[in-house]
Amino acid sequence: MIMKDDKISKITVPELQARKKAGQKIVALTAYDFPSARVLDEAGLDLILVGDSLGMVVLGYENTVPVTMEEMLHHTRAVSRAVRRALVIGDMPYFSFHLSPEETVRNASRFLKEAGAGGVKIEGAGRKRLKLIEAMVEAEIPVLGHVGLTPQSIHHLGQFKVRGKNLEEARRILDDALNLEKAGVFAVVLECVPLELARLITGRLSVPTIGIGAGPYCDGQILVFHDLTGFTPGYLPKFVKKYLDLHSLLGRAVRSYIEDVRQGDFPEDAHSYHLAEAERKTIAALGRRSRSGRPAGARAASAR
Ligand code: KIV
């Protein structure tokens, strides 16, 4: 069935893949809610990842391990409702793909069927993981791979640090990326690896690489929205470029509001509603007739 589409056309997986051949960079960010997804989409981003980093940046967990499928779907729905153009990818949270291929495919399909995503991301490239990716691709679910630093493995790895700095680990990450391509992923996220390794992998893969802390030679870049905008105060990894100090800006705005309310400077007449002339006179007369001496509105409020 061919339908006339009068909406802005969505960026597709094949379109993103064609960018690699054309030498055009893919630009991606994370988003977790309706208003920020709208800003990102209107600004012209190619891909929006509803990352499980939401566990840390918007839900306040210590790491991404506690994030659930329901939380991911809830936030992916909000993002999808805002996005008209970018490709939305939902991140498979820890333990949503660890039990069986059936459960993995079912969970992945929920991002597409219930949350409006155009694909899913999954961390890792072990033997079992590759089988799961094949099963998802077989079910026509576009899959974004993720190697290098994989934050869901925090309890296994012990700490978040650059991966692939020694030759053995670098070789393993290269093999992981090649195996992901063979398993059918449409692109691979390379997180926190030396730029020389990212450059090598980018040259060896025919699908795009999207780097985060992986240097300039990847086919695309992704950052966490709250890092780029300075919404999250405090420590930021070296690979982040902070374009704004949103945390300070918001703090300043809220402090001004507090002061205005306390000083009686807000709300002003411009922020208030008025009655029409006739009603105003009636209300004024009611106020004058009040036996308690208090305005009629105040009595009604205290009675509630
Ligand atoms: O969850 C996330 O935000 C991610 C990106 C950092 C790639 O996986």
Side-chain angles (χ1 to χ4, degrees), residues 30 32 49-54 64 91 121 123 146 151 189 191 212 222-224 239:
T30 65
Y32 317 105
L49 171 70
V50 188
D52 65 348
S53 50
L54 71 84
T64 58
D91 209 359
K121 179 172 81 60
E123 290 185 13
H146 182 160
V189 169
E191 179 163 355
I212 173 162
I222 185 163
L223 281 176
V224 169
F239 61 76

Side-chain angles (χ1 to χ4, degrees), residues 264-276:
D265 291 337
F266 176 83
E268 297 170 46
D269 195 58
H271 309 116
S272 307
Y273 300 103
H274 288 280
L275 286 172

